[in-house]
Amino acid sequence: MKITVILFQLITLFTGIYNVPNDKGSLNINRLRTEYLENPKGIDVLNPRFNWILKGEGRDRYQTAYRILVSSSEKKLNQNQGDIWDSGKITSNITNQVEYDGISLTSNTTYYWKVKVWDESNTESSWSETAYWSMGLLKFSNWKGLFIGHDVGYDKTDKYDSLYLPPARYLRKSFTPKKKIKKATAYTTALGLYELRLNGSKVGDDYFAPGWTDYNKRLYYQTYDITKYINEGENVIGAIIADGWYAGYIGYGLFVRLDKVREFYGVNPSFMGQIHLDYEDGSIEIIATDRSWKSNQGAIREADILMGEVYDATMENTGWDSPNYDDASWKTPKVYTYPNGQLQVHPSNLVKNTERIKPIRITEPKPGVYVFDIGKNIAGIPELKVKGPKGTKIRLRFGEILKRDGNIQTENLRLARATDTYILKGEEEEVWQPKFTYHGFQYVEVTGFPGKPTLDAITGLVLSSIKTDASTFSSSNAMNNTLYKNIKTTQEANFFDIPTDCPQRDERLGWLGDAQTYMRSASFNADVASFMSKFLIDVDDAQRWYGAYPNFAPFPYSRPNQYAPAWMDAGIIIPYNMYKVYNDTRILEYMYAGMEKFMEFQADASTDFIRPGGGNNWGDWLSVNEATSHDFIGASYYGYDAKLMAEMAEALGKTDDAKKYKTLFQSIKTAFAKKYILENGHTSEDTQTTYALALYFDLFPEQLAKKGASRLAEKIEKNGFKFSSGFLGTKHVMLALSKYGFDDIAYKLFQQTEYPSWGYSVVNGSTSIWERWNSYTKDESSNSDLNSSMNSFSHYAFGSVAEWMFINAVGIDTEDSGYRNIIIKPAISKEMNFIKGSYNSINGTISSAWNWDKNHLIMNIEIPTNTSAKVYIPTSQVSNIKESNMSLKKNPDIKVLQSEEEFTILKVGSGKYAFKIKID
Ligand code: RAM
């Protein structure tokens, strides 16, 4: 291997010298990622996938080859010694999903990598920056720790009438490193939630570790580089643990009086982990959780995700997580059994604090009751800053909206108590945040504050697993720009380890209908590749034994028949979108057996290729004035699944399966048309949603599709350009209208401000997306009818219009998978003056902007390096199109693919293009 590497390096050195330099300069390499993550500390994938993004000056730039080096040290990598893997020069244009193919990777080891590429003229780039990743503990035998906790006694008599909220548990261990330390790493997890502490500080910036999974199947552990926290002499490692999803209240269990309302996975939280001290002399010492640790209770008296946290600062064990602390009164921890679930690395990022928000005003609706408005509806926690006498008790409650009298509305939280309490120790200024609860809120109600609080008494901390920084959008309609902001706010609030339906009430479950309908939208707003990979593992774990995917995942309840058309189909639709958006076939492989089982379940439930409704039948959830039958929804989604299965089987090289599913799709399509499509092109149920689903899923007979689309357009017009659809129909109405050329109508719906519409929430002052079209109005009289037991103001499902906003309004789509062959096809309409947007795809940033300039249409686009695009220009006259003021004939960078009635289709390589089109 070594000799070939040296030979190879000599050859590349020479070819490098003799290459004709490219006058555009070589390509730049950016954003190196391993398994979708930037420099992940601890992964357990044995053949990780690498991604990078290229940037090159000028047009039509692409990669023709790459070379990856992986080294065991940064020094070796700097000397270009790929002692772990040297891919050699590989002739290929791929820049993502590139699989590691070197020697076996080992536990607790950091690997360094870089890549260089050759461009279209064989010009070699310089090496990229160095990236790294480390491997977690790959074998069971690597684990030395016991699951330890603290016995607080079990005190629960009734299930429903009083809450059982035990205190958090504190664990500590003092240790003294024996030699000089080179590196120290912590591998930790908990059944429950935990915060890791070292010498008085929190380790890392994670919240809600270790995340939510079906703990009977898998438990994720975290890897922290703790080298910088370790001192000479005595050190103290500590952990605070609480019930979390493992033992606390989950979802609506209490509300609907399930047999079990808490402790779905276990009764007592416990912590497990170990620290690896890598000494400079090469030896390793491991400090693992065992009976030599000490345990106790402390200041956190109650800690529950839904119910809130109580912190009594007078009970603090000051200095408990630091050296020189006397722990003689602490107990020996209780040892719990190992869980059945597999220990694995969390495949994504944990929840982090993504923003700190200062309140914009304080009101006092009742004497001594202060309401802080933080200006937008978020998911997160408060930070309280206060100075006052010892024992003062401050109560914090949370609300998304205010009632007429200025008090917060809490009725819509149902049985989520969502109340935090802080009891002052009475010293200097005290600053506190809860650790094991979170709330959905815009308003914080503070009672018991000593004196009159000022704005800095409360800070809102946004908590989320994602950053919504993958796109930009602006249009000539300010309302739509606010809508876009609201969609992002609500996605951030609900992408909380799993995609929850809402962050405030006693629900917060990973509802699959919401997730599937929003998946593509989610991908436009944020990089959700690793987040959704993690969620799909939850979905797969939650699949019912008979093949249906359940209503939500993880699925902690033991209730039978919890599935529904369009909810269970998430098991097909989300993986498909992972493939489409991120070119991810590995997740398809992972899900494939389950997806096939689900298809069999559907076949079994069908008669003559018609899958009826079944299970919970949520229908076109929260539609208004028009109901679509459960059977129609069942049958149409079955067809859609078959279509997507055929494409996914093809992507995996399973040609026979692809054929099988194509045939199945055709059979469903025929049966479906026979049952639901009339000869005049109407659907038998004639609701907006029936047209939208059948057209978008390609279930209309070809010769009738246009008629069906016209009928949909006509129905919308007759309805005053307003929706009658719910979670399922709405985005498909938009997509189907644009698919069949009714962009004007789609824009009218998009800009509508009367109920039911998106604009209605914006003009009523919303900062988020609501669960219902009419969750709230400024006109309070109509609010009294609202069902406050199910009225969330932070529900991302209706935000699924983002898919249309990017694919149609902005006009960015991918022809096959992963935005290598891009489609730029903006929905141009006189209903809008301009639309401008960008999207950071897995291949780089794509942007598209259009505006009217009298009788000209201006289109500015940018296509990333190493991709090409088909650009749809809305004219049949090639001579009407100019690019950079040049006619297309003279333009060597642009190929006219075809010119037809509505569009001229151009093919372009990477780079920026400025079109001016004369429109008669
Ligand atoms: C509600 C959830 C969710 C929806 C289901 C059917 O309670 O909030 O959004 O998918 O019911």
Side-chain angles (χ1 to χ4, degrees), residues 153-180:
Y154 190 73
D155 161 31
K156 189 163 147 275
T157 42
D158 73 79
K159 257 194 293 220
Y160 305 122
D161 294 333
S162 65
L163 296 175
Y164 174 58
L165 297 166
R169 286 78 150 162
Y170 293 70
L171 298 157
R172 78 186 302 273
K173 163 87 183 170
S174 152
F175 66 95
T176 305
K178 296 197 181 75
K179 304 172 199 167
K180 247 189 148 5

Side-chain angles (χ1 to χ4, degrees), residues 624-917:
V624 280
N625 306 326
E626 269 187 356
T628 298
S629 76
H630 300 150
D631 284 350
F632 186 99
I633 292 169
S636 57
Y637 272 90
Y638 184 33
Y640 190 43
D641 292 341
K643 193 172 164 212
L644 302 187
M645 278 304 282
E647 235 183 278
M648 289 190 278
E650 193 87 61
L652 293 178
K654 298 178 190 288
T655 343
D656 289 348
D657 284 6
K659 240 196 241 148
K660 177 178 88 186
Y661 288 117
K662 258 185 215 153
T663 312
L664 175 64
F665 173 66
Q666 284 310 330
S667 309
I668 297 172
K669 186 169 172 168
T670 310
F672 182 89
K674 206 164 127 207
K675 180 152 189 210
Y676 291 112
I677 313 283
L678 311 178
E679 272 171 19
N680 63 358
H682 291 196
T683 65
S684 56
E685 300 186 4
D686 200 35
T687 64
Q688 290 180 9
T689 294
T690 52
Y691 291 98
L693 296 182
L695 288 166
Y696 188 75
F697 295 166
D698 201 14
L699 292 168
F700 257 84
E702 269 68 57
Q703 73 283 7
L704 291 179
K706 271 221 131 100
K707 282 192 181 157
S710 304
R711 174 66 186 153
L712 172 62
E714 180 191 27
K715 275 182 66 68
I716 285 166
E717 194 165 350
K718 281 201 177 135
N719 200 36
F721 299 103
K722 284 179 258 176
F723 288 110
S724 63
S725 50
F727 278 21
L728 307 181
T730 302
K731 81 159 184 189
H732 292 112
V733 166
M734 300 296 282
L735 296 168
L737 286 172
S738 281
K739 184 172 170 188
Y740 288 94
F742 294 98
D743 291 327
D744 289 356
I745 299 205
Y747 277 110
K748 283 206 156 92
L749 285 166
F750 186 48
Q751 299 183 86
Q752 177 63 266
T753 54
E754 275 173 31
Y755 165 77
S757 69
W758 293 289
Y760 186 72
S761 66
V762 176
V763 297
N764 277 290
S766 182
T767 61
S768 52
I769 302 298
W770 298 341
E771 179 171 23
R772 296 168 181 271
W773 285 123
N774 58 345
S775 281
Y776 172 81
T777 66
K778 280 181 181 163
D779 163 22
E780 312 246 353
S781 56
S782 41
N783 287 339
S784 53
D785 320 328
L786 296 178
N787 179 355
S788 58
S789 71
M790 205 197 86
N791 192 4
S792 145
F793 293 86
S794 183
H795 233 77
Y796 65 73
F798 276 131
S800 59
V801 65
E803 180 172 350
W804 176 87
M805 286 162 69
F806 283 94
I807 293 182
N808 298 103
V810 177
I812 297 174
D813 200 359
T814 175
E815 190 165 16
D816 33 36
S817 62
Y819 296 91
R820 166 60 58 74
N821 298 304
I822 294 163
I823 295 177
I824 299 288
K825 191 182 180 186
I828 310 282
S829 162
K830 288 274 176 180
E831 295 292 327
M832 240 342 150
N833 292 334
F834 77 86
I835 297 269
K836 190 177 158 131
S838 68
Y839 167 56
N840 302 336
S841 78
I842 196 159
N843 276 310
T845 304
I846 308 165
S847 61
S848 163
W850 61 266
N851 67 281
W852 290 109
D853 182 8
K854 294 191 191 104
N855 61 341
H856 281 94
L857 172 70
I858 310 293
M859 282 173 69
N860 285 297
I861 63 170
E862 186 169 0
I863 305 302
T865 298
N866 206 38
T867 70
S868 67
K870 278 186 188 158
V871 185
Y872 285 68
I873 310 274
T875 178
S876 56
Q877 301 297 316
V878 179
S879 56
N880 282 352
I881 309 172
K882 287 210 164 120
E883 194 283 315
S884 299
N885 291 322
M886 247 195 283
S887 95
L888 292 194
K889 273 195 203 132
K890 294 187 199 138
N891 207 320
D893 300 331
I894 298 172
K895 210 164 122 195
V896 179
L897 289 183
Q898 89 194 54
S899 199
E900 48 181 48
E901 211 186 302
E902 278 178 85
F903 295 102
T904 294
I905 307 173
L906 311 175
K907 174 105 190 225
V908 300
S910 69
K912 289 185 183 159
Y913 299 85
F915 295 100
K916 188 166 182 178
I917 305 118

